[in-house]
Structure formats: structure tokens, C-alpha cells
Amino acid sequence: MSARDLIVGEAELDSQEEDESFDEETGEVRLKTNGVNGLNGHIDDSSEEEDDDDDEEAAAAIRKDFIVEDDEEPEERERKRRERKKRRREEREEEEAGLDEEDFDLIGEANPEFERRTTNEPKLKRLKRGHKEDRDEHKPKGVENIFDSEEEDEDDYHNQRQPHRADPRNQRDEFADFIEEDFDGPDGAPDDDDADIARTTGRTYTGIKDATGLDEAALEDMKEAFGEGDEYDWALNIQDQEDEAEQHVIDPEDPDAIAKGLELKDVFEPSQLAEKLLTDEDNSIRAVDVPERFQLARKPYKDLLLTDDQFKERGNWIADLLWDRKGLPSELKDPFRKAVAKVLEFMAVDEYEVPFIIQHRKDWLIHSQKIPVTPDPSNPGAPDTVLDAKKLLTHSELWRIAEFDLKFRALVEKRNALTETYTRLQDMDDFQDDILKDMLPTATTMEELQDVQDYLHFQYASRLADLAAMNASSTANGIHRRPGSSKALFERVRSSKVYGLVRAFGITADAFAQNALKEGRPHYTEDPNERPDDLADSENIMDPPDYSTGAQCLKAAKAMFAEEIFLSPRMRKLMRKAYYQDGVIDCFRTEKGLRRIDENHPYYDFKYLRNQQMRDFARQPDLFLRMIRAEEEGLVEIKIRMQNAESFRKKLYSVIESDNFSEVADAWNRERREVLDMAILKLNKIMARGVKENLKNECEDQVAQRCREEFTKRLDQAPYKPKGMQLGTIPRVLAISNGAGAFGREAVCWAWVEEDGRVLENGKFTDLFLGDPERGQEDGVDVKALVKLVERRKPDVIGLSGFSADTRKLYKLLEEIIERKDLRGAEYEDEDGIERTDKLDLVIVNDEVARLYQTSQRAMLEHPGFAPLTRYCVGLAKYLQNPLKEYAALAKDIISITLDPAQSYVPQEKIFRFLETALVDIVNLVGVEINDAVSDWYTANLLPYVSGLGPRKAQQLLKVINLNGGSVGTRAELVGDADQQRIGAVGPRVWANCASFLYIDFDSSDQDADYLDNTRVHPEDYELGRKMAADALELDEEDIEAETSENGLGAIVRKLVRDDQQEKVNDLILEEYAEQLERNFNQRKRATLETIRAELQVPYEELRDNFTLLSSEEIFTMFTGETRDTLYEGMVVPASIKKVGEDYIEARMDCGIEGTIPLSEISSRSDISPRQLFQQFQTVQAKIMYLNRKTLAATFSLREEEVRNPAKKEHDRMPGDWDDAQERADKESMKEKNDVSGRTQRVVKHPLFKPYNSAQAQEFLGSQARGDVVIRPSSKGVDHLAVTWKVSDNIYQHIDVLELDKSSQFSSGGTLKIGGKYTYTDLDELIVNHVKAMAKKVDEMMLDEKYQNGSKAETERWLSTYTEANPKRSVYAFCIDPKHPGYFFLCFKAGQHAQLQSWPVKVVPQAFELQRNMYPSMMALCNGFKLLFTNMQSGKRR
């Protein structure tokens, strides 16, 4: 029972003041005296007050009917409850038939003589709330009294305290439509006290007399005759619940809505909740005391429980998978297995994540043994043994173990399901299947389990159907059939007499497979006495009507036997083994690939690849992934086959054939070979598909692992180290960039970032260049500004990067400014304590994070007023200050970073999973200062990667810390402290995982601070650290007890630090202590003790490598986007001519690299000047003769003989790996096609010229803007050019240009004509006045309100819909014609019943053409259309 049940017939609330109301007539404020009853909040009116005395008897009757005596039986109480419900139903019917106020008004208007009772009280406009103090007098029951047996009595008691009350239903109905819900609280929120009042009006109407007029005896007789009347109570209950739900509408704007029952899912979309990690599942993950990554990874198997045998099997299974790649000596195999088993125990039983195991259980990952050494006579005190330690497992392998654990769980889950299905089949029909009995428990791969499942569904299809019917399910215990796995045909064969012919083959499929695998005792093939065709014709085999002839029987029997071989788990095991041992992969180009994959295509290196073995792709996994991508694009076909397929087949023939010598035996052996051929054909398909999929997954894993290793290198670098500072010190950075701007012509942006990450200054340099004193040329104005900035701010380093090769020029300029102006960094003390400064460091920064940062929402929120390039500079500076934090802040955007050339061939989810493990490793290596994470969200970005945590638990951790006061004093506080009233932020298991990676800066002035909380030492090892500190200080037990009793448990370590005696721990002999711990407590702590020793001296020492400077190759790729595979010497590339001199030409490639063309490489003719052959801005085909990757400079050649002979990539191929014959045949075929086309290769002096065909031009323009142009050679001859321009997405117009007045065959025409109508003098004029003019008209059309952005059919549907809604109106619209580029449809419909019509509109320069009329604008076009249509209609009428 709730407050809603106790307050019967309550009013909905408005937001008027509780204690006073406003008189609308007088404007005076008056106290409330009526409208709300002071006790229960019920509504009174004047009629109730007048009838108080007259209703005493009615009140007595009410009390009699509704007060329940204690001795009343439950059955009697239930009977009365039904009676009351029935009466309520009858009263509702009466109420609906009754007259309300509006009915009386209508009657009065129709009959003036009619009089109705009136009251002196003005009509209520809205209901008022009761006074707070009045409501407090009667409070609803608390949770502790929710099951009080007298709740119904109490309800009735409150009902009878108001005998004078009018029927509450009438009050509710009269004012229901006038209730307004406002709020009086601040900001529109209700007062807290008001939030406790229920808002619904219930249907519990009390005090109503029976309307039948019958006495009790007559009522009983009626009930016996007609029943209790509760047959439809279930429907009425549903209606009551729906009414109640409607009345309990909760306002999402209400801040107290959650307290009233509103949940987040009632306000937000599920996708929004999932994005913010606020779903019920997310909350469950936060609450469960298991590491978040474990919960997410094991979610599909959370109900799976492994047996002891399966635990042991898992360790061996994973160890076998890892061992082959380890390369360890064979004597370490047993220790390796034990190490794997122990790691699995840590993960599965103790719930420890990989970082915890690496940091605090590393002794279990090392195999150490003492090796005796030869005594040294010169050193008699030397030990006679040395400790030999070998690392058994690495970081990456621990993550692989975690991944293999999930795969094993999936394996066990499927195996358990199959086992359960088999067991249930046995329970239903007692039988034994040796194949299932042997193969199911020993299956160790998902493929083998799938084989067993396929066999089960084939062999026992009818029994599984019966089992499914028994369980009313389409599957048997979750074992789903493969699509198309219906075996109705084979079931008919198995249940018919024809199956006797299958047995006549003399050997079963499984026996044949066992012989081939050489498992168990050999099985011999037996021959029947009759030939196969004779036996098939016998009455013992034929089974009409399905199998009425011998040929039908023999065909069905062979198909059945072939299917049994195909579905034999042992046979598939044999074939799979053969494929992995002897399988080879061939790649065949398709017809599409023949045309698309030329010698410059990235797929050419495998276009004719043949005879590749599996191990070949293990060395180059990206090759196979590129082949898979090419196959998906329809360019190649990958085929997998067995290398010695014929000899393998002959071996199988010998196994299945009988050894008898007779005509009958020969006939049966022929049939057996045919059956085997049928089975092998099907097996080859399924094996090739399985091998291809497994090889693809393996190659993806290898590429993802390479990405992980590369990402680990980028994460494992400390902040840029200022000179004279310790590693890990944050530098002060001045970041500069010219972005993609041309050097010397566009502004250079800069930002100054302090060591705490604050951006204190930023600006632009527009005049940054060094003058020439010898020529009297002064420096640019901004050189002095830069010098002043450096002298004022004293940066530790200048960081530089950009988007183009011009950034290299900026680097050289800054380098020269630093040298010439003698700019120096901040002062520091050298080893001798002398203050000194060095030349200011200038560093080219890896900008992969800054590029993502500059346009991110995060950057816009942090620096809303900055230009994108300035934000880019801020990103560069922050990367120099802490690369790890910048990568962590990217979250899932880290997959946007290119770490491997083959990364794009791997699913992003897999890449992210591998990269996340690298982040987890390095974040836990570095640790997180928890109080910094609370106050700095950049540091908080690291928390999700801490061991045991994740995004959800990190959120919860910060939330609870803020609730506890906003800071953490000790690690122990994270699990809660009842004495200090601190809530637990994490559970014990999660705390055990994360405690040592969340450190707290040690404050020596705080007596409660524990020095070990600032170290990598885990709290479980604090006692070891304290004992080591006591031993280093040589304290006895009495000294230790006195110190700790006075200053707490951490007093010994504090004393060690306070006295600056940390180096004394180096004198401790830890080996003996470690042996004692292992001997007495089975604790391996040798490596842990070394960690404690190091941490006592330098807590949380920076263990990352030094900041890594980019190599010349990396800078080359960053500035140009090219690699050694995409740009190399001897390659022919398009180049734009910048300057033409008398004896040289300067050119620039698209990637930004500039170079020169000496006179000797311009032309083979020395009598022609370069200016006669070439001009500025012309695009030419040039061959790279020399490429300097460090300075980003090149030397080109334009000589025709050089351009025609580009360098070819050298491929290291073994004989037989390449189909040279097919390559030659394809080249000859393509040459013949080119000869037939007769196209001449032309080079036109224009930057928009490309040596493309139409398809290549369209592909090039696909990513360009509307109106962009490509000029290209024409297939119509040397006196024609083709101009292709982009009309719209996937729509391109090809314009034929006739060249006249040509001075030579290869020169451009002096006059250019299009369609015989338009004439231009050069290409620039043609583009501007023809193509661009038409593009402008296309834009005008597509931006018009009458334009429909859809197909013609969609536009016509829109017209029809419009005219149906507006039958008397005509309507028209424009849409594009994709089949005729440059044309649009003008679709129109003159009324609802008129036909749909369309006219073509052609875009021409400066106008639209409709019905051979030209219109200069869209307005003119629309008006012209209306006029044309009107004239057409007038002509029809005439």
C-alpha cells in the first residue's frame, strides 16, 4: 500500500501557494479556508457542509459496510471486495449516463422554465494544494509497515471519517479538464514536501448504497442464480492498471522525477544511454566486483562453469597453441606448461588482469635454476652456483592467453551443448554411436566440433526433429542447423530398402576414414556376391515408388555413401590435415582485373601469383589480406588446392578398394572410386573455404599484432626531456606550424604551452624571413617578434610540424634563426652545479594526434576561440609534453592512426582490441596519480586503462571519490572506510587489481600518509617493504614496535625516507629472503623484492624510453604521404611546372616535393629552347632521376626515351611462383586492343590535363566538387580533346572539343570549337565561359525550391501525392536526368486526374534551354514554362 492508496479521490496538484491564494477580483491575498480538507487533502464544497447533520445515518451505514472485523475470514473479505468492485462498475455506468454541468446548461437553454440548484460559492477554476502542515498530519506508511495486516482497515477508517463528503467521482469528473500543473518551487520545481504527494485519482469509491433495492437474502438468491459477477474481473483489472498508468504521467523536466519513479530510459533513447554507458547492463558492470574487461569479454560465457578436467585441459590446450612459436629449448616445455596453467589460474580464479600478473606475479613467468660453476682458486669465497633465469611469457603472450581462454570457453560451451544433445537423444532412444563417443570428447577445435555437429544432424535428423518437437523448439538445446542442412532425401534412403545397397559397398564411411588416418585396427572392404547393377535390380533393394529401377537405386545409394564420407568427422579431419600440410594457393585475375590491374596498380604483385604455401603468408600476412580485398572487389579469384591432389586421391583409392580379384570386385571398386570422387569434390570446397577463412583470421591477427607493437613503441616514450632535467619532467613548449600553407606566402601559427598544459599565448607570423645583410636586406618584422617571444618565455623546445613538404622549408628557416640570433633554452645546472644554457632545441613532431585534435569536439571545447591551425599547434605541444595522455584522450579514435600499411585490411574492432591492450600495458607501467585524475580530466582519461577498471568503473571511481570529499588520502580508502564514513569506490577484487597502479603523492607533513602508497608496491606486499626498511635501518623488534606504536604502520618507511637512508636497501641480500618465503609460504617473491628495493629509492620512477625523434623516412612520409613503395627513383609521375628558365625547369609533384630539370633532361633536341616546349603551370609526365628523402628534393627528366621506360619494381620470386605465360598472353591481348583503338598519347600544357580515359577521369572526379574539370586525350584523334566535368554525384558530362589552327600535330589548337556553336581561343577561356558557366547554372537549378533531390520516379510520386492532397491545384518540379548529363526533367501534373508529363531542360552556358527557348535564370525558366503550358492548353481548346 502506498500514499496513493491512502488518499482516496485525491486531486491533482497545481503550483499555487499552499498557504494563501490570490483573489482575482479584489487583488487581495487571502488565507485558504476551503477547497482542501485539512486532514486528508480531500475536496469539500458548500453542499457537503450543508448536509453534515443529515448524513449521520448514511455515515453509520458506511461504517457498517466497510469496517472489517479482526475475526472476519479471508474468503468473506474477498467476497466483499468483489462486491465493492461490482458496485463500482455499476456506478461508473450510472455516472456515464448521468447529467453533468454542461448538460444542465443545454437543458436550460432549450427550456427556460427549467430551474437548477445553484450555490453562492464561485465556480472553481483550479484545485489548490493542501497546506504542508496539514498534509504532514497524516503520512503514508513507511516501508517497514508495508505488510501490516491492518492496512485495509486503516484505509476504511479514513474513508469513514468524512461522512459529509460528496461523491468523489463527481468532483473528479467536474474539474478533471481544468486542472493545471504548475510548480511553485524554484526554477519550476515542486517543493520537496509536495513530491511525496501522489498525483493520481483512484477508483476506490466508498460509501455508495446498493442501487438494486433488494435485501440481503434476495441478493444471495440472485448471486446463486447468476453467479458472483466476477467472470470479467481480469479485464477490469487490466483496464484499472491502464487507467492508473495513464494517470501516473511523470514530467521529465521534474528534477525529482527519478524519486517519483522516472528512470533514465524513460527520458533518453537507448542509443544515447549506451553512448553514455548508462544502460542497466552498464550499471550492472559497475556494481559487480570483477574487472570490467573480464566482464565484457566473458559476457557470452558468464553461465559456463568449467570442471577440474576442463581446467587442466585448458592449460594444455593453450600451451600447445603457444609453444610452437616460442622457440624455447625442449627442456623448458614442462615449466612453460606450468607457467601457462598458473597464469590461467590467476585470470580465472583470482580475477587478476594482465598488468597485475606482469607486475606482481612475474616470478611465476620466469624459470630460474642454479647452475654449478667451476670453483675459482683466486676467489675462494665466490659462490659455487649461478642463477640462470629465462623468461617464459611476455606481455603479448599474456594477452594471447586471455584471448585463447575465451576461445576455449566457446569451444567448451559448444561441446557441452553437443554432449547434452547426444545425451538427450540417448535418453529418448537408447543407442550408442561410437563416432560421437570417440570424437566429441577429443574435439579440440571449432572446426572439429562443427564436423561432429554436421554429422549429428545428418545421421539423426529425424530423432532431432522428434526431440525438438518434444521441447517445442526448432533447435535441440541451442544447436542450430546450418542453412540448407535438410536431409529429407537421405532420410528417405536410410529408411528404405535402398540402404542395403549402401551397406553392400563393404565398408562404412567411418571405417574407411579410420584406415586412411591409420587409427585403430584396420578394417577390410568386403565384396558382395553380385555386381552392383544386378544387386540394384533385385527386389531386396528396389523400393517403389521412389526407387522403382535399379539405376535409380544405385544412383541414390552412391549419393548416400558419398554424403556419409563427406560428413564423416574423421574424413574431414584427414582432409583438413592434408590441406594444411600440402595446400597451395593460386591467384587468378578476372576479366575485370585484366583491365583494372596494370603494372602500376598495387595489386599487380599477385595478379599472376601461383603455388603459394601457407607458411609463405605467415611471413607476409598483408599479401594475403590484399588478395582477399582484391577478390572482394571482383579483380581476382583465390583458389586453394592440394599440391599433390592426384597422388593423395590414389592413396585413398587403395584404402577404399577391396583386395579381391574378380569381375564383381572390379565392378564394385569402380563404384567405390566414383563415390570417393563425389565425396572429395564436396570436401575440397568446404576445406578450401575453411582454410581460407582460418588463414585470413591468422593474417589479420598478425597485422593487428604488428600494429600493437608499433603502437607500444609510440606509447612507450616519456615526455620530451629538457636539458639538465630528469626523465619525466614536463617541458615548456613553443609549437609552430604553417599547416598546408605555401611557405613564405601564408601565415605561420604558434602557441605557447606551459608545463601544466595551459595555453598562455598564441598568435601568427606573417612576415617571417631572414634578410641578407650583405645586400642590405633586413629581417622580416616577425623575426624580431619570435626572438622576443623566446627570450621572454624561455621555452625548453620548439616543436614544429605541418601538412606539406613546405614545412621542411620552415624548419630550415627556424634552424637558421636559432643559429643566427643565438636563441637559447632555459637555464639548468650541469653535473658540477654550474648554471648554463644551450642552443634552443628544434624538433619535428609526429603530428598524427594533433591532426585529429585540431578538429575534435574536445579541442573546440578547450579552445573555442582558436583557429584550427592554432589548435593543431596546441596538439603538437601537448604531444611533446606527454604522448601517452594524448593517445589515451583519443579513446576509440586511435584506430584512425596508421600504424601499419595493411591496417586497413583488418576489421577496426580487432585493431582497437589489440591497441587497447598496448594502452593498458603502458598506462599501468606509468601509473596514475589518483588525486590528479580527480581534478584533471586529461589524467582521468588514463583511468579506464588501469588494471581492473574500464570506462564504467573509472566513472564510478571518480564519482565516489567526489562524494567522499574529492581527494584520496590512502589506497585503502578506495574500498571504503566506515570509521571515516567513506563509501567504497571499488570492490575488493577490483581494488586488488588497481591498487598498485593508482598512487598518491607522499606528503611528509601528513602523519597518516604512507610512503608506500606512492610506489609500485602492492598493499599485499607492504609488510615486505616495511621489513626491508627496518632491516636497512638495522632496527630490532623493540625499535620497530616503539616506532610503529607511536607513528603508525608506515613509520619505519617514513623514517627511512626522512633520514635519507634509502640507499641502504642496496646492501640487503634478497636472495635468501626470497628462498625463505617460497620455502615457508609458497610465495615466489624474488622479482617483487627487487621491485620494492627500487621503489623505496625512487618511487614510481619513469620507466618509459626517451622521447623518440622522427627518422628522415618518417618525416618524409608525414610531410608527403608517400613511402618507398609509392614513390621511388625511376618512377614516372605527373609534375607541374613552376618556372621555365633558359637552361632549366623547376617542377613540383602533387605530394609537394619540388625538383629541377636540367637542360640535358628536358629534350633530346638541343636546338629548341625550353620556353618553346613548355610553359609555366603546365602538367607534364616526368621521370624521377634522383630523390633526396631528407631534404625533400628531386631531379626529373622529361626526355621521351626516359619517360617511356619507367623503372619496374623488382620482385623476389621463386621459380614457379609467377605465371609468366599468362602475363605475356594478357599483355599481347591488351596491346591488340590498344592498337585497334588507335589512341595517341598526348601531353597538353595545362594544369588540368590528365592522361586519362573516360573511366579514369570519372574515378578521379568522384571525390572532387561539383563543377570540377579534367582535360584529357580524345579517342577521335589528335585534333580533338575531351573535357570531362562533374555535373553531380556519379554524373559526368564528356565534351568533345575540336582543335583548329594547330601549328603542329602535338600542339594545342588556336581555335577550340564545341558542338559547332561555341568557339574559344584557349582552354582557360573554354573552362571559364563554358564549363564553369554551365556548372553555375546546375547549382542554380539544384538550389531552387522547385528542385527535387531524387529520381524521376520519386519526383512523380511526390507530384501525385501533392495533387491528391490538393485536387484542384497544378504542380511542377525539376529533377536531374542521370542518363543524359547536363539535362534535367521538368515534371508536372495539371490537377489530380491529369497525366504526369515531363519536358527536358538542357543546361547551356549562361542559360537553360526548354523547348528550344533560352531562359537566363530559374525565374525566367519557370515563367516561360507556365507561358508555354498555357499556350499549349489554349491551342488544344481551339
Side-chain angles (χ1 to χ4, degrees), residues 721 723-725 827-838:
K721 178 180 171 295
K723 291 179 179 177
M725 301 294 181
E827 295 182 350
Y828 66 93
E829 289 187 2
D830 60 12
E831 297 178 354
D832 300 326
I834 301 173
E835 293 283 343
R836 59 173 299 177
T837 60
D838 291 331

Side-chain angles (χ1 to χ4, degrees), residues 532-599:
D533 48 355
D534 295 337
L535 184 59
D537 288 331
S538 66
E539 294 183 357
N540 295 331
I541 298 300
M542 286 193 295
D543 194 356
D546 293 333
Y547 308 104
S548 54
T549 66
Q552 288 179 334
C553 295
L554 185 58
K555 181 179 179 182
K558 289 166 66 177
M560 182 71 186
F561 191 30
E563 192 72 9
E564 288 181 342
I565 295 175
F566 167 66
L567 287 163
S568 167
R570 285 192 173 92
M571 188 63 192
R572 290 189 176 186
K573 182 179 179 180
L574 171 70
M575 290 291 292
R576 190 172 289 113
K577 181 180 179 181
Y579 260 83
Y580 280 113
Q581 287 181 346
D582 300 323
V584 293
I585 298 176
D586 299 326
C587 185
F588 296 91
R589 56 92 186 140
T590 63
E591 285 300 317
K592 182 179 178 181
L594 172 63
R595 299 188 303 271
R596 292 284 296 277
I597 305 177
D598 57 18
E599 292 187 357

Side-chain angles (χ1 to χ4, degrees), residues 1131-1161:
M1131 187 175 182
V1132 175
V1133 296
S1136 176
I1137 295 178
K1138 290 180 59 181
K1139 182 179 180 181
V1140 180
E1142 288 293 335
D1143 54 357
Y1144 72 96
I1145 293 176
E1146 292 181 0
R1148 178 188 179 98
M1149 289 188 282
D1150 290 339
C1151 64
I1153 295 178
E1154 297 180 353
T1156 58
I1157 307 168
L1159 182 63
S1160 60
E1161 296 295 337

Side-chain angles (χ1 to χ4, degrees), residues 7 98 215 435 842 1006 1225-1226:
I7 304 175
D215 60 14
I435 297 176
L842 177 63
D1006 185 358
D1226 287 348

Side-chain angles (χ1 to χ4, degrees), residues 1305-1343:
Q1305 183 179 4
F1306 299 102
S1307 64
S1308 298
T1311 303
L1312 305 176
K1313 281 186 170 289
I1314 297 178
K1317 297 169 62 176
Y1318 304 98
T1319 303
Y1320 304 100
T1321 58
D1322 57 33
L1323 287 172
D1324 289 330
E1325 183 187 4
L1326 182 148
I1327 291 170
V1328 172
N1329 294 334
H1330 193 91
V1331 179
K1332 294 298 182 181
M1334 287 196 296
K1336 186 177 180 180
K1337 288 300 167 185
V1338 170
D1339 288 340
E1340 184 180 351
M1341 169 72 78
M1342 299 182 79
L1343 293 174

